[in-house]
Short mmCIF file of all heavy atoms in Angstrom, two decimals:
data_model
loop_
_atom_site.label_atom_id
_atom_site.label_comp_id
_atom_site.label_asym_id
_atom_site.label_seq_id
_atom_site.Cartn_x
_atom_site.Cartn_y
_atom_site.Cartn_z
N ASN A 598 41.13 4.79 57.01
CA ASN A 598 41.61 4.63 58.39
C ASN A 598 40.46 4.69 59.41
O ASN A 598 40.60 5.29 60.49
CB ASN A 598 42.66 5.69 58.73
CG ASN A 598 43.85 5.65 57.78
OD1 ASN A 598 44.28 4.58 57.37
ND2 ASN A 598 44.36 6.82 57.42
N LEU A 599 39.32 4.08 59.07
CA LEU A 599 38.23 4.02 60.04
C LEU A 599 38.59 3.07 61.17
O LEU A 599 39.24 2.03 60.96
CB LEU A 599 36.94 3.56 59.37
CG LEU A 599 36.37 4.48 58.26
CD1 LEU A 599 35.07 3.90 57.73
CD2 LEU A 599 36.15 5.89 58.78
N LEU A 600 38.14 3.39 62.36
CA LEU A 600 38.41 2.56 63.52
C LEU A 600 37.39 1.42 63.59
O LEU A 600 36.25 1.57 63.15
CB LEU A 600 38.35 3.39 64.80
CG LEU A 600 39.37 4.53 64.91
CD1 LEU A 600 39.22 5.22 66.25
CD2 LEU A 600 40.79 4.01 64.73
N PRO A 601 37.77 0.28 64.15
CA PRO A 601 36.79 -0.80 64.32
C PRO A 601 35.70 -0.39 65.31
O PRO A 601 35.98 0.10 66.40
CB PRO A 601 37.63 -1.97 64.84
CG PRO A 601 38.86 -1.35 65.40
CD PRO A 601 39.11 -0.10 64.61
N MET A 602 34.44 -0.61 64.90
CA MET A 602 33.30 -0.20 65.70
C MET A 602 32.62 -1.36 66.42
O MET A 602 31.79 -1.15 67.29
CB MET A 602 32.27 0.52 64.82
CG MET A 602 32.83 1.69 64.03
SD MET A 602 33.60 2.94 65.07
CE MET A 602 32.19 3.48 66.01
N LYS A 603 32.94 -2.61 66.03
CA LYS A 603 32.34 -3.79 66.66
C LYS A 603 33.24 -4.97 66.36
O LYS A 603 34.22 -4.86 65.61
CB LYS A 603 30.93 -4.02 66.14
CG LYS A 603 30.83 -4.12 64.63
CD LYS A 603 29.39 -4.10 64.16
CE LYS A 603 29.32 -4.07 62.64
NZ LYS A 603 27.96 -3.89 62.15
N THR A 604 32.89 -6.10 66.92
CA THR A 604 33.67 -7.32 66.72
C THR A 604 32.91 -8.28 65.83
O THR A 604 31.67 -8.33 65.84
CB THR A 604 33.98 -8.00 68.06
OG1 THR A 604 32.75 -8.31 68.72
CG2 THR A 604 34.83 -7.10 68.94
N LYS A 605 33.65 -9.01 65.04
CA LYS A 605 33.09 -10.02 64.16
C LYS A 605 33.59 -11.38 64.60
O LYS A 605 34.79 -11.56 64.83
CB LYS A 605 33.50 -9.74 62.71
CG LYS A 605 32.86 -10.68 61.70
CD LYS A 605 33.25 -10.29 60.29
CE LYS A 605 32.56 -11.18 59.26
NZ LYS A 605 32.94 -10.82 57.89
N ASP A 606 32.69 -12.33 64.72
CA ASP A 606 32.99 -13.67 65.22
C ASP A 606 33.54 -13.64 66.64
O ASP A 606 34.22 -14.57 67.07
CB ASP A 606 33.99 -14.39 64.30
CG ASP A 606 33.46 -14.51 62.88
OD1 ASP A 606 32.23 -14.61 62.73
OD2 ASP A 606 34.27 -14.50 61.94
N GLY A 607 33.26 -12.53 67.34
CA GLY A 607 33.67 -12.42 68.74
C GLY A 607 35.12 -12.10 68.96
O GLY A 607 35.55 -11.94 70.11
N THR A 608 35.92 -11.99 67.91
CA THR A 608 37.37 -11.76 68.09
C THR A 608 37.89 -10.60 67.26
O THR A 608 38.62 -9.75 67.76
CB THR A 608 38.15 -13.03 67.70
OG1 THR A 608 37.80 -13.39 66.34
CG2 THR A 608 37.79 -14.20 68.63
N ARG A 609 37.52 -10.50 66.01
CA ARG A 609 38.13 -9.54 65.11
C ARG A 609 37.27 -8.28 65.00
O ARG A 609 36.04 -8.36 64.89
CB ARG A 609 38.30 -10.17 63.72
CG ARG A 609 39.00 -9.27 62.71
CD ARG A 609 39.30 -10.03 61.43
NE ARG A 609 38.10 -10.51 60.79
CZ ARG A 609 37.40 -9.80 59.89
NH1 ARG A 609 37.79 -8.58 59.57
NH2 ARG A 609 36.32 -10.32 59.33
N GLY A 610 37.93 -7.12 65.07
CA GLY A 610 37.21 -5.85 64.92
C GLY A 610 36.84 -5.60 63.47
O GLY A 610 37.56 -5.97 62.54
N THR A 611 35.69 -4.95 63.28
CA THR A 611 35.21 -4.68 61.93
C THR A 611 34.37 -3.42 61.93
O THR A 611 33.93 -2.95 62.99
CB THR A 611 34.37 -5.86 61.39
OG1 THR A 611 33.97 -5.57 60.05
CG2 THR A 611 33.13 -6.05 62.22
N THR A 612 34.14 -2.88 60.74
CA THR A 612 33.31 -1.69 60.55
C THR A 612 32.50 -1.86 59.27
O THR A 612 33.07 -2.17 58.21
CB THR A 612 34.17 -0.42 60.47
OG1 THR A 612 34.86 -0.22 61.69
CG2 THR A 612 33.28 0.81 60.21
N ASP A 613 31.20 -1.66 59.37
CA ASP A 613 30.30 -1.69 58.22
C ASP A 613 29.76 -0.27 58.05
O ASP A 613 28.73 0.09 58.63
CB ASP A 613 29.16 -2.69 58.45
CG ASP A 613 29.68 -4.06 58.82
OD1 ASP A 613 30.70 -4.47 58.23
OD2 ASP A 613 29.09 -4.72 59.70
N ALA A 614 30.45 0.52 57.25
CA ALA A 614 30.20 1.96 57.22
C ALA A 614 29.27 2.34 56.07
O ALA A 614 29.28 1.71 55.00
CB ALA A 614 31.52 2.73 57.09
N TYR A 615 28.48 3.37 56.30
CA TYR A 615 27.68 4.02 55.27
C TYR A 615 27.64 5.51 55.58
O TYR A 615 27.96 5.94 56.69
CB TYR A 615 26.27 3.43 55.17
CG TYR A 615 25.37 3.71 56.35
CD1 TYR A 615 24.55 4.84 56.38
CD2 TYR A 615 25.33 2.85 57.43
CE1 TYR A 615 23.72 5.10 57.45
CE2 TYR A 615 24.50 3.10 58.51
CZ TYR A 615 23.70 4.22 58.52
OH TYR A 615 22.88 4.49 59.59
N VAL A 616 27.23 6.30 54.58
CA VAL A 616 27.25 7.76 54.69
C VAL A 616 25.83 8.27 54.45
O VAL A 616 25.11 7.77 53.59
CB VAL A 616 28.21 8.39 53.66
CG1 VAL A 616 28.24 9.91 53.78
CG2 VAL A 616 29.61 7.82 53.85
N VAL A 617 25.45 9.27 55.24
CA VAL A 617 24.17 9.96 55.08
C VAL A 617 24.47 11.42 54.75
O VAL A 617 25.23 12.08 55.47
CB VAL A 617 23.30 9.86 56.34
CG1 VAL A 617 22.03 10.68 56.18
CG2 VAL A 617 22.95 8.41 56.63
N ALA A 618 23.88 11.92 53.65
CA ALA A 618 24.03 13.32 53.25
C ALA A 618 22.66 13.98 53.32
O ALA A 618 21.68 13.45 52.78
CB ALA A 618 24.60 13.43 51.84
N LYS A 619 22.61 15.14 53.98
CA LYS A 619 21.33 15.82 54.19
C LYS A 619 21.44 17.26 53.76
O LYS A 619 22.33 18.00 54.18
CB LYS A 619 20.96 15.73 55.67
CG LYS A 619 19.49 16.04 55.97
CD LYS A 619 19.28 17.47 56.36
CE LYS A 619 17.81 17.72 56.69
NZ LYS A 619 17.49 19.14 56.80
N TYR A 620 20.50 17.67 52.89
CA TYR A 620 20.41 19.07 52.49
C TYR A 620 18.95 19.32 52.14
O TYR A 620 18.37 18.64 51.28
CB TYR A 620 21.30 19.39 51.29
CG TYR A 620 21.28 20.85 50.88
CD1 TYR A 620 22.00 21.79 51.60
CD2 TYR A 620 20.50 21.27 49.82
CE1 TYR A 620 21.96 23.13 51.25
CE2 TYR A 620 20.45 22.61 49.46
CZ TYR A 620 21.19 23.53 50.18
OH TYR A 620 21.13 24.86 49.84
N GLY A 621 18.35 20.31 52.78
CA GLY A 621 16.93 20.57 52.58
C GLY A 621 16.11 19.39 53.06
O GLY A 621 16.45 18.71 54.02
N PRO A 622 15.01 19.10 52.39
CA PRO A 622 14.19 17.96 52.83
C PRO A 622 14.69 16.61 52.33
O PRO A 622 14.13 15.58 52.69
CB PRO A 622 12.81 18.28 52.22
CG PRO A 622 13.12 19.07 50.99
CD PRO A 622 14.36 19.86 51.30
N LYS A 623 15.74 16.60 51.50
CA LYS A 623 16.21 15.34 50.92
C LYS A 623 17.36 14.77 51.74
O LYS A 623 18.31 15.47 52.06
CB LYS A 623 16.66 15.56 49.47
CG LYS A 623 15.54 15.66 48.47
CD LYS A 623 16.09 15.73 47.06
CE LYS A 623 14.96 15.84 46.03
NZ LYS A 623 15.49 15.90 44.66
N TRP A 624 17.24 13.48 52.01
CA TRP A 624 18.28 12.70 52.68
C TRP A 624 18.72 11.61 51.72
O TRP A 624 17.90 10.92 51.14
CB TRP A 624 17.77 12.05 53.96
CG TRP A 624 17.20 12.98 54.98
CD1 TRP A 624 16.10 13.78 54.85
CD2 TRP A 624 17.69 13.20 56.30
NE1 TRP A 624 15.88 14.47 56.00
CE2 TRP A 624 16.83 14.13 56.92
CE3 TRP A 624 18.76 12.69 57.03
CZ2 TRP A 624 17.01 14.55 58.23
CZ3 TRP A 624 18.95 13.11 58.33
CH2 TRP A 624 18.09 14.04 58.91
N PHE A 625 20.03 11.43 51.57
CA PHE A 625 20.56 10.34 50.77
C PHE A 625 21.45 9.47 51.64
O PHE A 625 22.29 9.98 52.40
CB PHE A 625 21.37 10.87 49.58
CG PHE A 625 20.53 11.55 48.53
CD1 PHE A 625 20.74 12.88 48.22
CD2 PHE A 625 19.54 10.86 47.86
CE1 PHE A 625 19.97 13.52 47.26
CE2 PHE A 625 18.78 11.48 46.90
CZ PHE A 625 18.98 12.80 46.60
N ARG A 626 21.24 8.18 51.53
CA ARG A 626 22.08 7.21 52.26
C ARG A 626 22.77 6.31 51.26
O ARG A 626 22.12 5.73 50.37
CB ARG A 626 21.22 6.37 53.22
CG ARG A 626 22.05 5.51 54.15
CD ARG A 626 21.18 4.60 54.99
NE ARG A 626 20.68 3.47 54.22
CZ ARG A 626 20.02 2.45 54.75
NH1 ARG A 626 19.74 2.46 56.04
NH2 ARG A 626 19.60 1.45 54.00
N THR A 627 24.07 6.18 51.38
CA THR A 627 24.83 5.31 50.49
C THR A 627 24.62 3.86 50.89
O THR A 627 24.03 3.55 51.93
CB THR A 627 26.32 5.65 50.53
OG1 THR A 627 26.84 5.32 51.83
CG2 THR A 627 26.56 7.12 50.27
N ARG A 628 25.11 2.98 50.07
CA ARG A 628 25.07 1.58 50.43
C ARG A 628 26.09 1.29 51.52
O ARG A 628 27.09 2.01 51.66
CB ARG A 628 25.34 0.71 49.21
CG ARG A 628 26.75 0.83 48.65
CD ARG A 628 26.87 0.13 47.31
NE ARG A 628 28.25 0.05 46.85
CZ ARG A 628 28.91 1.02 46.26
NH1 ARG A 628 28.30 2.19 46.07
NH2 ARG A 628 30.16 0.87 45.86
N THR A 629 25.85 0.26 52.31
CA THR A 629 26.76 -0.14 53.37
C THR A 629 27.82 -1.07 52.81
O THR A 629 27.48 -2.09 52.17
CB THR A 629 26.00 -0.83 54.50
OG1 THR A 629 25.01 0.06 55.02
CG2 THR A 629 26.94 -1.23 55.62
N LEU A 630 29.08 -0.74 53.02
CA LEU A 630 30.18 -1.60 52.60
C LEU A 630 30.62 -2.44 53.79
O LEU A 630 31.00 -1.91 54.83
CB LEU A 630 31.34 -0.76 52.06
CG LEU A 630 31.01 0.07 50.80
CD1 LEU A 630 32.25 0.76 50.28
CD2 LEU A 630 30.38 -0.80 49.73
N ILE A 631 30.51 -3.74 53.64
CA ILE A 631 30.68 -4.67 54.73
C ILE A 631 32.15 -4.93 55.01
O ILE A 631 32.94 -5.18 54.09
CB ILE A 631 29.95 -6.01 54.43
CG1 ILE A 631 28.49 -5.73 54.07
CG2 ILE A 631 30.04 -6.96 55.60
CD1 ILE A 631 27.70 -5.06 55.16
N ASP A 632 32.50 -4.83 56.31
CA ASP A 632 33.82 -5.24 56.81
C ASP A 632 34.97 -4.57 56.07
O ASP A 632 35.84 -5.22 55.51
CB ASP A 632 33.94 -6.77 56.72
CG ASP A 632 35.13 -7.30 57.52
OD1 ASP A 632 35.67 -6.54 58.34
OD2 ASP A 632 35.52 -8.46 57.31
N ARG A 633 34.95 -3.22 56.10
CA ARG A 633 36.03 -2.48 55.43
C ARG A 633 36.39 -1.26 56.27
O ARG A 633 35.51 -0.52 56.72
CB ARG A 633 35.61 -2.04 54.02
CG ARG A 633 35.21 -3.20 53.12
CD ARG A 633 35.18 -2.81 51.67
NE ARG A 633 34.79 -3.94 50.84
CZ ARG A 633 34.89 -3.98 49.54
NH1 ARG A 633 35.38 -2.95 48.90
NH2 ARG A 633 34.51 -5.03 48.86
N PHE A 634 37.69 -1.06 56.43
CA PHE A 634 38.18 0.12 57.13
C PHE A 634 38.53 1.24 56.16
O PHE A 634 38.75 2.37 56.60
CB PHE A 634 39.41 -0.24 57.97
CG PHE A 634 39.14 -1.23 59.06
CD1 PHE A 634 39.81 -2.44 59.09
CD2 PHE A 634 38.20 -0.97 60.04
CE1 PHE A 634 39.56 -3.36 60.08
CE2 PHE A 634 37.93 -1.89 61.04
CZ PHE A 634 38.62 -3.09 61.07
N ASN A 635 38.64 0.92 54.87
CA ASN A 635 38.89 1.92 53.84
C ASN A 635 37.85 1.77 52.73
O ASN A 635 38.19 1.40 51.59
CB ASN A 635 40.31 1.77 53.27
CG ASN A 635 41.37 1.99 54.33
OD1 ASN A 635 41.68 3.11 54.71
ND2 ASN A 635 41.94 0.88 54.83
N PRO A 636 36.59 2.01 53.03
CA PRO A 636 35.54 1.78 52.03
C PRO A 636 35.60 2.82 50.92
O PRO A 636 36.01 3.98 51.12
CB PRO A 636 34.25 1.91 52.84
CG PRO A 636 34.61 2.82 53.97
CD PRO A 636 36.05 2.52 54.30
N ARG A 637 35.17 2.40 49.71
CA ARG A 637 35.08 3.29 48.56
C ARG A 637 33.65 3.20 48.03
O ARG A 637 33.26 2.21 47.40
CB ARG A 637 36.08 2.87 47.46
CG ARG A 637 37.52 2.78 47.92
CD ARG A 637 38.06 4.11 48.39
NE ARG A 637 38.09 5.08 47.33
CZ ARG A 637 38.49 6.34 47.50
NH1 ARG A 637 38.85 6.77 48.71
NH2 ARG A 637 38.48 7.18 46.50
N TRP A 638 32.86 4.24 48.29
CA TRP A 638 31.47 4.25 47.85
C TRP A 638 31.35 4.76 46.40
O TRP A 638 30.67 4.17 45.59
CB TRP A 638 30.62 5.13 48.78
CG TRP A 638 30.49 4.58 50.15
CD1 TRP A 638 29.68 3.57 50.55
CD2 TRP A 638 31.20 5.01 51.31
NE1 TRP A 638 29.82 3.35 51.91
CE2 TRP A 638 30.75 4.21 52.40
CE3 TRP A 638 32.16 5.98 51.56
CZ2 TRP A 638 31.23 4.38 53.69
CZ3 TRP A 638 32.66 6.14 52.84
CH2 TRP A 638 32.19 5.34 53.88
N ASN A 639 31.96 5.91 46.13
CA ASN A 639 31.91 6.53 44.80
C ASN A 639 30.47 6.67 44.31
O ASN A 639 30.09 6.20 43.24
CB ASN A 639 32.73 5.70 43.79
CG ASN A 639 34.22 5.93 43.95
OD1 ASN A 639 34.69 7.05 43.87
ND2 ASN A 639 34.96 4.87 44.22
N GLU A 640 29.67 7.33 45.12
CA GLU A 640 28.28 7.63 44.79
C GLU A 640 28.10 9.14 44.75
O GLU A 640 28.72 9.87 45.53
CB GLU A 640 27.32 7.01 45.81
CG GLU A 640 27.40 5.49 45.85
CD GLU A 640 26.39 4.89 46.81
OE1 GLU A 640 25.41 5.59 47.15
OE2 GLU A 640 26.57 3.73 47.22
N GLN A 641 27.27 9.59 43.86
CA GLN A 641 27.10 11.02 43.61
C GLN A 641 25.63 11.39 43.72
O GLN A 641 24.75 10.67 43.24
CB GLN A 641 27.62 11.38 42.22
CG GLN A 641 27.60 12.88 41.92
CD GLN A 641 28.36 13.22 40.66
OE1 GLN A 641 29.24 12.47 40.26
NE2 GLN A 641 28.04 14.32 40.04
N TYR A 642 25.36 12.53 44.37
CA TYR A 642 23.99 12.99 44.60
C TYR A 642 23.92 14.48 44.30
O TYR A 642 24.94 15.18 44.26
CB TYR A 642 23.56 12.72 46.05
CG TYR A 642 23.71 11.27 46.46
CD1 TYR A 642 24.77 10.85 47.24
CD2 TYR A 642 22.79 10.33 46.03
CE1 TYR A 642 24.91 9.52 47.59
CE2 TYR A 642 22.91 9.00 46.39
CZ TYR A 642 23.98 8.60 47.17
OH TYR A 642 24.11 7.28 47.50
N ALA A 643 22.68 14.96 44.10
CA ALA A 643 22.48 16.36 43.69
C ALA A 643 21.22 16.89 44.35
O ALA A 643 20.27 16.15 44.63
CB ALA A 643 22.39 16.48 42.17
N TRP A 644 21.23 18.19 44.62
CA TRP A 644 20.09 18.91 45.18
C TRP A 644 19.92 20.24 44.43
O TRP A 644 20.89 20.78 43.87
CB TRP A 644 20.29 19.26 46.65
CG TRP A 644 20.39 18.11 47.60
CD1 TRP A 644 19.39 17.53 48.33
CD2 TRP A 644 21.58 17.40 47.97
NE1 TRP A 644 19.87 16.51 49.10
CE2 TRP A 644 21.21 16.41 48.91
CE3 TRP A 644 22.92 17.49 47.58
CZ2 TRP A 644 22.14 15.54 49.47
CZ3 TRP A 644 23.83 16.62 48.14
CH2 TRP A 644 23.44 15.65 49.07
N ASP A 645 18.72 20.76 44.45
CA ASP A 645 18.47 22.14 44.02
C ASP A 645 18.78 23.08 45.18
O ASP A 645 18.47 22.78 46.34
CB ASP A 645 17.00 22.32 43.59
CG ASP A 645 16.73 21.74 42.22
OD1 ASP A 645 17.69 21.66 41.42
OD2 ASP A 645 15.58 21.36 41.95
N VAL A 646 19.37 24.21 44.86
CA VAL A 646 19.75 25.21 45.87
C VAL A 646 18.85 26.42 45.70
O VAL A 646 18.75 26.98 44.60
CB VAL A 646 21.24 25.61 45.74
CG1 VAL A 646 21.58 26.69 46.74
CG2 VAL A 646 22.12 24.38 45.95
N TYR A 647 18.21 26.82 46.78
CA TYR A 647 17.33 27.99 46.77
C TYR A 647 17.94 29.16 47.54
O TYR A 647 17.47 30.28 47.39
CB TYR A 647 15.97 27.63 47.36
CG TYR A 647 15.21 26.61 46.56
CD1 TYR A 647 15.42 25.25 46.75
CD2 TYR A 647 14.31 26.99 45.58
CE1 TYR A 647 14.75 24.30 46.01
CE2 TYR A 647 13.62 26.04 44.83
CZ TYR A 647 13.85 24.71 45.05
OH TYR A 647 13.17 23.77 44.31
#
Side-chain angles (χ1 to χ4, degrees):
N598 303 322
L599 297 182
L600 298 182
M602 306 303 297
K603 55 190 174 187
T604 58
K605 185 177 183 180
D606 301 329
T608 56
R609 183 172 62 89
T611 182
T612 297
D613 307 321
Y615 69 91
V616 181
V617 175
K619 197 264 182 192
Y620 182 79
K623 282 186 180 180
W624 302 63
F625 291 119
R626 189 185 76 172
T627 67
R628 66 190 189 280
T629 301
L630 297 185
I631 306 300
D632 193 15
R633 302 196 180 192
F634 298 120
N635 298 282
R637 305 298 296 178
W638 293 282
N639 283 304
E640 298 183 19
Q641 186 169 336
Y642 305 102
W644 296 266
D645 283 334
V646 177
Y647 296 85

